[in-house]
Amino acid sequence: MKQEEVENKKLLPFMVNFLFLLLLATAVCLATIPQSIASADSVSSPIFYESFDQSFEGRWIISEENDYNGVWRHSKSQGHDDYGLLVSEKARKYAIVKELDEPVSLKDGTIVLQFETRFQNGLECGGAYLKYLRLQEVAGWNPVEFSNQSPYSIMFGPDKCGSTNKVHFIFKHKNPKSGEYVEHHLKSPPAVPSDKLSHVYTAILKPDNEVSILVDGEEKKKGNFLLADDFEPSLIPTESIPDPDDKKPLDWDERAKIPDPEATKPDDWDENAPMEIEDEEAVKPEGWLDDEPMQIDDPEAAKPEDWDDEEDGEWEAPKIDNPMCEVAPGCGEWKRPMKRNPAYKGKWHPPLIDNPNFKGIWKPQEIPNPHYFELDKPNFEPIAAIGIEIWTMQDGILFDNILIASDEKVAESYRTTTWKPKYEAEKEKQKSEEELSGFQKVVFDLLYKIGDIPLLDAYKLHIVGFIDNGKKKPNVTIGTLISSVVVTLVICCKTLFGGKKPNVVTKERRTHNAAATNQGRTVEKDEEPEKETNATATAAAARRRRANRRET
């Protein structure tokens, strides 16, 4: 028993340390679980989110207005399994709207507006923006009658056509004095990315009156709703305005300078004198060849033997520069050069003097602005629906992942999980295509150089035509060329390194084969068609040569 007690005493420190470590690990786990839960709960849910994973039919309302005949489609983004709302036809107007379950207030706290677009076929002229619409009951509009006249609180998104290239941010605000709604445009908005990749656009409205515009998660523009430098026109009107009833007096003279009324044109001033005259002192250079033309017929050119005057027209030798003119001062009729006319003065105008009646540039007097007001923050009206109302010359515009949130982290998390994987995959594919495109350019440049080889001049038009057609389907053409080169190299290798030797056909063997072939038929009857066929082929070849010569 004493031996067992000794062994138990040795195990006791080990057991104590083990239990201590077990309790410590348990405490760490228990401390971590609440943090994880808190971390998971720190990112709130979005107020509204549309992924278009399911068809939009029955959930989004297509406008029934006559002008909006563009067809919306539920379609996959090119190269992805992710669905979106697709603009399917060119040169059409489109209008579709989604009513929110509850109106979204823009007055309290942060509001984030975010969505994705992809111009799958590029963008030359068209818009891809969203309109965040006001309450129907207040504004008086109907979803099936949604149009460009439907009232909105905010319009946001890319637009490009002609000189317009911007990511719009426009908000409508009701003047509390006049009761009118005024559009306020963000100054110097960012440009639209000019590619065929998916891009995500984010507008963050903050409680400190700031708005941030992000493209692909990167801030491109920041502004303050209350500053005149950031929005046009300014949200807060000026305190005074020009008096609309003030009129410029009839005797108000704004001319700082006037023609001198006492000045007279000098007697020797000739307004009709030409600007240039012939140089009478010029002398024809010695050795000038008056009777020699600048160009002559090429003495080495000869009329082609197969030229047909009736079919090809009268043959004329090509022209070359007259070699006599290269060694002489000049050829042809000599004319005196022109020089500036010293008597030229142009049209006479009296000199300008200070206007003794000048009163300055007239401006109407300033009066207090009856519509002036002051605000601490914009009085935005709630968002009741999201609408897409665009006119575009492009098809292939895809809308996806439309989001409204009250937390910037929510928008960031959606960008990370929904947009970025697609964007990275598209960019990698684009990079591969650009690398292939560079290789294609090298191949086709080489082919054009082959067409310039003098030995192939007779076939140059055919070669260039083949290359031009091949550029329409470069991958197929280059693949065919590479395959042809590989097959040719294989045949050459087999021939040079142990391939089957070609059979040598002797004259006697050819005679024997011909006799065997012609046995049982008359030779004269077979020879005549052969001669006729050869003559036809020769005539066709001659016509092709004449056609090629005319084209060159």
Side-chain angles (χ1 to χ4, degrees):
M1 293 295 292
K2 290 183 179 181
Q3 183 66 28
E4 292 178 358
E5 291 178 359
V6 172
E7 292 177 356
N8 289 335
K9 287 182 180 181
K10 290 181 180 179
L11 289 173
L12 185 60
F14 172 78
M15 295 297 293
V16 171
N17 290 332
F18 176 76
L19 290 173
F20 174 76
L21 291 173
L22 183 61
L23 290 171
L24 181 62
T26 303
V28 171
C29 290
L30 292 174
T32 306
I33 290 173
Q35 292 178 2
S36 302
I37 295 172
S39 176
D41 292 340
S42 62
V43 178
S44 61
S45 299
I47 298 172
F48 170 82
Y49 177 61
E50 173 60 84
S51 66
F52 294 106
D53 289 341
Q54 304 297 324
S55 174
F56 63 89
E57 295 180 1
R59 299 184 299 110
W60 288 69
I61 301 171
I62 298 175
S63 175
E64 297 177 1
E65 292 290 295
N66 293 332
D67 290 345
Y68 299 94
N69 54 3
V71 177
W72 296 97
R73 298 207 183 280
H74 184 238
S75 177
K76 287 183 180 180
S77 180
Q78 292 177 4
H80 305 291
D81 290 330
D82 186 37
Y83 281 87
L85 181 64
L86 180 68
V87 170
S88 65
E89 297 176 312
K90 298 180 179 180
R92 293 284 189 274
K93 287 185 176 181
Y94 293 80
I96 192 169
V97 67
K98 175 70 171 74
E99 296 184 80
L100 304 181
D101 294 336
E102 294 290 338
V104 177
S105 174
L106 301 176
K107 296 180 180 180
D108 304 321
T110 297
I111 290 293
V112 183
L113 311 175
Q114 182 170 285
F115 67 100
E116 297 175 22
T117 61
R118 185 183 183 190
F119 305 127
Q120 298 180 130
N121 299 327
L123 181 63
E124 295 178 2
C125 184
Y129 41 78
L130 303 188
K131 289 184 175 180
Y132 299 87
L133 304 164
R134 304 206 304 265
L135 289 167
Q136 299 177 47
E137 296 80 4
V138 178
W141 63 278
N142 192 321
V144 295
E145 298 173 354
F146 176 48
S147 69
N148 63 345
Q149 299 299 318
S150 300
Y152 63 86
S153 286
I154 292 176
M155 173 176 152
F156 171 54
D159 186 18
K160 181 180 178 184
C161 191
S163 60
T164 299
N165 184 357
K166 62 181 73 174
V167 179
H168 287 291
F169 185 88
I170 306 170
F171 71 93
K172 280 191 174 182
H173 191 271
K174 184 178 181 179
N175 186 304
K177 291 288 187 70
S178 66
E180 295 181 355
Y181 285 90
V182 180
E183 280 189 2
H184 302 276
H185 295 243
L186 180 66
K187 292 183 179 180
S188 303
V192 181
S194 57
D195 54 40
K196 300 179 181 180
L197 307 179
S198 296
H199 293 282
V200 57
Y201 299 91
T202 310
I204 305 173
L205 288 67
K206 301 179 181 179
D208 61 357
N209 295 328
E210 278 196 350
V211 58
S212 296
I213 307 300
L214 282 61
V215 179
D216 297 344
E218 180 181 350
E219 186 176 80
K220 297 293 186 179
K221 178 70 177 179
K222 180 184 288 187
N224 189 300
F225 289 114
L226 302 183
L227 295 182
D229 292 339
D230 293 336
F231 283 89
E232 176 66 33
S234 173
L235 175 63
I236 299 178
T238 56
E239 293 189 54
S240 62
I241 60 171
D243 184 357
D245 297 326
D246 193 11
K247 305 297 182 183
K248 182 172 69 174
L250 296 176
D251 61 346
W252 191 280
D253 196 338
E254 296 181 324
R255 299 173 299 166
K257 298 280 186 178
I258 60 171
D260 186 354
E262 299 181 359
T264 57
K265 183 174 71 174
D267 295 336
D268 61 347
W269 191 289
D270 185 1
E271 292 185 330
N272 299 320
M275 185 181 294
E276 289 185 332
I277 58 174
E278 286 188 354
D279 186 359
E280 297 293 341
E281 299 179 357
V283 179
K284 181 170 68 175
E286 186 177 353
W288 188 279
L289 304 178
D290 295 89
D291 299 328
E292 287 289 338
M294 295 294 294
Q295 288 192 324
I296 60 172
D297 293 342
D298 186 356
E300 297 182 0
K303 180 179 179 180
E305 295 179 0
D306 59 347
W307 187 276
D308 188 337
D309 289 341
E310 293 183 359
E311 183 179 343
D312 301 328
E314 183 180 355
W315 182 81
E316 295 180 359
K319 298 288 186 181
I320 62 170
D321 293 336
N322 190 345
M324 299 288 291
C325 298
E326 295 180 2
V327 296
C331 291
E333 182 184 0
W334 180 81
K335 294 181 180 180
R336 286 189 175 88
M338 303 295 287
K339 70 173 185 178
R340 182 174 178 81
N341 183 4
Y344 172 76
K345 294 184 179 180
K347 188 173 180 62
W348 181 82
H349 297 281
L352 296 178
I353 61 172
D354 291 336
N355 183 3
N357 298 321
F358 175 65
K359 295 183 178 180
I361 303 300
W362 182 85
K363 293 181 181 180
Q365 62 180 349
E366 295 281 320
I367 61 172
N369 185 357
H371 298 150
Y372 172 76
F373 63 89
E374 294 183 359
L375 277 180
D376 294 331
K377 58 175 53 183
N379 187 23
F380 290 117
E381 296 197 16
I383 296 172
I386 297 176
I388 305 174
E389 185 274 315
I390 58 175
W391 175 86
T392 176
M393 296 301 294
Q394 309 297 136
D395 59 353
I397 302 176
L398 194 78
F399 293 86
D400 199 6
N401 295 316
I402 301 174
L403 172 78
I404 301 177
S406 58
D407 189 345
E408 295 180 47
K409 292 182 179 179
V410 174
E412 182 180 359
S413 67
Y414 275 85
R415 288 196 301 269
T416 302
T417 56
T418 64
W419 165 76
K420 196 164 188 178
K422 288 189 295 185
Y423 176 77
E424 295 295 342
E426 292 162 8
K427 201 167 185 180
E428 189 63 30
K429 182 180 179 182
Q430 183 187 60
K431 181 179 178 182
S432 301
E433 290 175 349
E434 289 174 351
E435 291 174 353
L436 179 60
S437 178
F439 170 71
Q440 290 170 355
K441 185 177 184 301
V442 172
V443 171
F444 283 107
D445 287 346
L446 180 60
L447 290 175
Y448 280 120
K449 289 181 180 179
I450 292 174
D452 290 333
I453 296 175
L455 187 64
L456 302 175
D457 279 347
Y459 308 98
K460 183 172 182 178
L461 287 177
H462 297 290
I463 293 173
V464 171
F466 165 76
I467 298 171
D468 289 341
N469 289 330
K471 290 178 75 175
K472 297 177 182 178
K473 294 183 178 180
N475 293 337
V476 176
T477 303
I478 293 176
T480 303
L481 290 172
I482 293 174
S483 301
S484 301
V485 171
V486 171
V487 171
T488 304
L489 290 174
V490 170
I491 294 172
C492 292
C493 290
K494 285 186 176 181
T495 303
L496 295 173
F497 305 107
K500 204 170 184 180
K501 293 184 179 179
N503 294 328
V504 179
V505 182
T506 62
K507 180 177 181 182
E508 292 79 4
R509 186 172 179 181
R510 287 198 302 272
T511 304
H512 174 75
N513 291 340
T517 304
N518 294 326
Q519 187 176 5
R521 62 186 176 90
T522 305
V523 174
E524 289 79 8
K525 290 183 180 179
D526 292 335
E527 287 176 349
E528 289 177 1
E530 183 179 353
K531 291 179 181 178
E532 183 179 352
T533 302
N534 291 338
T536 303
T538 303
R543 284 195 297 271
R544 285 196 299 272
R545 287 197 300 272
R546 287 196 295 273
N548 291 340
R549 185 169 59 254
R550 285 196 297 274
E551 291 174 4
T552 57

